[in-house]
């Protein structure tokens, strides 16, 4: 007998003869006998929600999002997935504020695929710092509408006019008589009403939870190991699978020297050849992994013309050289004035090349996928993802069935940082689908950390060439920049050959500094490895390149880097005010090195970035003392190792802090 | 083979060289202990063996047969563990949470060994990786806990 991962699950839950998604234990446990807004039977919730071909506009159909239970707690189906950014708590704050239910009374889970949840310009993904921004209004309205329905239900029940009623957290109050009714008592009645056309929203001054610090809903569960990630899920009768990929992308398994031997290893069920990989299916994952790693596989080289086959002689060093050698001038993303002429006229020209390495996402939860073919022809999948509908579509394609036949479950993510978008061979689910079909049982596939690092979609290696023309007053008059390479958007959504791609140049183009002559361009060069979106995408390296180069410009012109920035922001009052506020809040600008109050030697740097419309500026402190691992600011730009050419005088920026030293960003 | 997990004796049927992590997760169904790297690098798989933190992903199950194992599921049965959890909640430490079982157990082990650890002692013990970067929050929680 396989042990149950969740022994606390009541055994009497209705299962429709199907094993349960155990990650939903809390929801299902609490929903037993619950009268909810719209959806009744826990075992059917997912399919009910998924099967409604919603004619209404996204965000309008309350039951798709909200259930209020008899005990006054609420379940919210979030259009966005939680992965550490706190979105579940944010929506509990937002919806709770309008609905008048305290955030801590919510449990939140990621909504299944469905038209109701397409709140990001008619689509849905969790990323781009966009979740609250895209859905704030809609989710408030949803909460307010549900509250209005509770009030209507209470008015009917108490036989009093609606405007004689008010709400307090969790209850409707009839002040005149002192009578109260819990939201939970009213939910069933409210569910029969239709949502109001218009509903007033709460005044900002009356907010109790929006914009206020609220404890995260999941902090305790995450501190006690109770949160269930995809890798922790179990479905009845499942087998476990591990894979070994071709060492180089494009390779295919040819022969296995010891197949019979490995098949006889403990727990092994079967061995499978997959595109570009070999899998072992076993009773336990550890057995599968041990077996798959014991396989002696010879790999066929990629057939000529295989798309994105990894060349045998590929190396990061070679790629860096290729990026550096790729000739300009590329395609302009920003052109102001005449940078070429201004460079010629400058009293001094400085130049530098920066680069950043390929980077894996390194989310701590290795990727996994569970696939189960159901008797009714549907395929049920549990997989980490940042875009349920896109994965549903892709899975349908991989399985050769219609998207409506895919039932998709999205658990909280053990970190994501852009890892869980659709990246072809970087997603394990097609393998899980194939394996489940082959063995006729549910299969959970886990990629080992090693396989994850081998097949993750990497942040592309970045390289940018800068030239600046400085006048006799030490001020920059020209900036000429070329970002070389390919962006993930070009890889996954198609390249427009006559256009510079936005994410390739973001963080270099359209900076707010008033340098009168500018040309920022992309020089396109394809990356052999699989590339993907990595936290803040182009900004994660480009802003560092640009801001570091601006420091070099300041240095060459004998300007203070903070004063120069202020000067270049003279006609950008908001940016300027923000920069000044940052300086003020950190005790005044001090370049350093200087001796701090605690006797340590310090220096400060300054940089600013505006990824996805969010203004971030910080002063980066560095201390010469070792503080172990502590003090690593989560907003510092990490993982970059710029190389300097022709510019020996270079100050170390926040991203290239040596091991043991720390970069801080003091949030303004 | 018999194991003592969170104060209870459990019979398990696994090859003696199976890493403790996979026995805990797959045989006993206790999934609070996490797999991160499988190479003793990240600390996500940390459990306590007779009170000492060990990286269970590289620890053969046979080597801990005679030791009392504590996993995150047993943390609140321990008074020090309870204090650590409270501090973690108070300081709102977890982000994605995936590393936090290991962090909480590592902190508990330190405080059981040294009730009022100094900054250097804390830094030396709290070396588990957190990809979300909760290090500052962990440092704050530890500072409070170290006051006793
Ligand atoms: S999983 Fe054991 S140290 Fe990373
Ligand atoms: S909280 Fe995400 S890895 Fe630590």
């Amino acid at each position: 007998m396989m042990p149950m991962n969740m022994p606390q699950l009541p055994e009497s839950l209705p299962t429709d003869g199907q094993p349960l998604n155990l990650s939903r234990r809390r929801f299902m446990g609490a929903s037993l006998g619950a009268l909810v807004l719209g959806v009744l039977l826990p075992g059917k919730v997912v399919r009910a929600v998924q099967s409604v071909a919603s004619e209404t506009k996204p965000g309008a159909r309350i039951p798709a999002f909200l259930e209020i239970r008899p005990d006054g707690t609420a379940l919210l189906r979030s259009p966005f997935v939680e992965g550490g950014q706190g979105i579940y708590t944010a929506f509990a704050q937002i919806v709770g504020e309008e609905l008048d239910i305290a955030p801590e009374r919510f449990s939140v889970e990621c909504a299944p695929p469905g038209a109701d949840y397409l709140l990001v310009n008619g689509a849905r993904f969790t990323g781009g710092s966009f979740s609250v921004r895209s859905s704030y209004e809609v989710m408030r309205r949803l909460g307010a509408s549900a509250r209005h329905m509770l009030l209507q239900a209470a008015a009917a029940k108490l036989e009093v006019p609606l405007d004689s009623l008010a709400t307090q957290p969790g209850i409707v109050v009839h002040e005149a008589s002192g009578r109260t009714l819990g939201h939970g008592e009213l939910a069933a009645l409210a569910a029969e009403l239709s949502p109001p056309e218009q509903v007033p929203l709460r005044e900002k001054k009356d907010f109790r939870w929006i914009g206020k610090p609220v404890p995260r809903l999941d902090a305790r569960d995450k501190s006690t190991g109770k949160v269930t990630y995809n890798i922790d899920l179990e479905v009845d009768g499942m087998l476990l699978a591990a894979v070994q990929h071709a060492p180089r992308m494009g390779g295919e398994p040819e022969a296995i020297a010891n197949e019979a031997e490995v098949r006889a290893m403990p727990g092994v069920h079967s061995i499978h050849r997959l595109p570009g990989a070999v899998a072992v299916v076993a009773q336990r994952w550890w057995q599968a992994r041990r077996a798959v790693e014991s396989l002696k596989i010879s790999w066929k080289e990629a057939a000529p013309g295989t798309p994105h086959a990894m060349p045998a002689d590929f190396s990061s060093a070679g790629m860096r050289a290729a990026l550096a050698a790729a000739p300009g001038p590329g395609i302009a993303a920003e052109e102001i004035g005449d940078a070429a002429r201004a460079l010629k006229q400058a009293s001094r020209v400085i130049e530098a090349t920066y680069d950043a390495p390929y980077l894996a996402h390194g989310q701590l939860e290795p990727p996994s996928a569970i696939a189960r073919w159901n008797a009714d022809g549907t395929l049920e999948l549990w997989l980490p993802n940042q875009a349920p509908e896109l994965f549903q579509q892709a899975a349908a394609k991989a399985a050769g069935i219609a998207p409506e036949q895919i039932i998709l479950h999205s658990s909280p993510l053990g970190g994501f940082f852009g890892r869980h978008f659709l990246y072809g061979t970087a997603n394990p689910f097609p393998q899980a689908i194939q394996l489940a079909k082959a063995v006729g049982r549910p299969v959970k596939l886990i990629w080992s950390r090693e396989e994850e690092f081998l097949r993750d979609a990497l942040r592309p290696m970045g390289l940018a060439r800068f030239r600046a023309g400085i006048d006799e007053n030490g001020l920059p008059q020209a900036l000429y920049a070329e970002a070389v390479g390919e962006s993930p958007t070009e890889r996954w959504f198609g390249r427009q050959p006559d256009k510079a791609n936005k994410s390739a140049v973001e963080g270099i183009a359209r900076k707010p500094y008033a340098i009168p002559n500018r040309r920022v361009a992309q020089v396109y060069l394809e990356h052999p490895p699989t590339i993907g979106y990595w936290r803040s995408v182009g900004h994660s390296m480009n802003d560092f390149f640009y801001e570091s180069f601006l420091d070099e410009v300041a240095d060459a012109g004998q300007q203070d880097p903070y004063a120069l920035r202020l000067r270049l922001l003279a006609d950008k009052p908001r940016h300027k005010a923000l920069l000044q506020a940052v300086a003020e809040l950190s005790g005044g600008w001090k370049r350093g090195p200087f001796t701090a109050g605690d006797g340590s030697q310090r220096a400060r740097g300054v940089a600013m970035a505006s990824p996805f419309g969010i203004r971030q500026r910080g002063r980066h402190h560095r201390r010469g003392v070792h503080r172990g691992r502590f003090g690593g600011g989560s907003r510092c730009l990490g993982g970059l190792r710029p190389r300097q050419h022709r510019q020996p005088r270079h100050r170390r920026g926040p991203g290239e802090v040596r091991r043991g030293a720390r970069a801080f960003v003091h949030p303004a | 083979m018999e194991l003592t997990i969170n104060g209870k004796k459990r019979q398990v049927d696994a090859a003696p060289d199976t890493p403790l992590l996979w026995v805990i997760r797959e045989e006993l169904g206790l999934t609070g202990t996490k797999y991160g790297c499988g190479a003793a690098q990240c600390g996500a798989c940390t459990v306590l063996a007779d009170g000492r933190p060990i990286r269970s992903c590289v620890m053969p199950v046979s080597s801990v047969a005679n030791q009392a194992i504590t996993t995150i599921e047993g943390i609140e049965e321990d008074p020090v563990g309870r204090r650590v959890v409270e501090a973690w909640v108070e300081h709102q430490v977890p982000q994605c949470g995936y590393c936090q079982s290991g962090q909480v157990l590592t902190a508990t082990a330190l405080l059981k060994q040294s009730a009022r650890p100094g900054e250097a002692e804390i830094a030396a013990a709290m070396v588990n990786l957190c990809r979300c970067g909760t290090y500052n929050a962990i440092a704050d929680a530890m500072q409070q806990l170290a006051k006793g």
Side-chain angles (χ1 to χ4, degrees), chain A residues 216 222 229 232 284-285, chain B residues 26-27 34 92 95-96:
Chain A
R216 288 191 181 214
K222 284 178 172 175
Y229 303 87
D232 302 324
R284 299 284 187 270
W285 188 75
Chain B
E26 298 202 285
E27 303 298 327
K34 300 305 186 202
Q92 294 284 294
Q95 289 187 30
C96 84

Side-chain angles (χ1 to χ4, degrees), chain B residues 55-76:
Chain B
R55 297 198 159 174
S56 64
C57 66
V58 292
M59 191 62 67
V61 61
S62 57
S63 69
V64 294
N66 300 316
Q67 300 180 35
I69 304 297
T70 306
T71 70
I72 193 70
E73 285 84 357
I75 195 70
E76 288 181 296

Side-chain angles (χ1 to χ4, degrees), chain A residues 364 414-415 417, chain B residues 93-100 103 129-134:
Chain A
L364 205 50
F417 321 111
Chain B
V93 172
Q95 289 187 30
C96 84
Y98 198 79
C99 72
Q100 298 297 343
Q103 306 281 10
L129 291 180
C130 174
R131 175 65 175 89
C132 299
T134 62

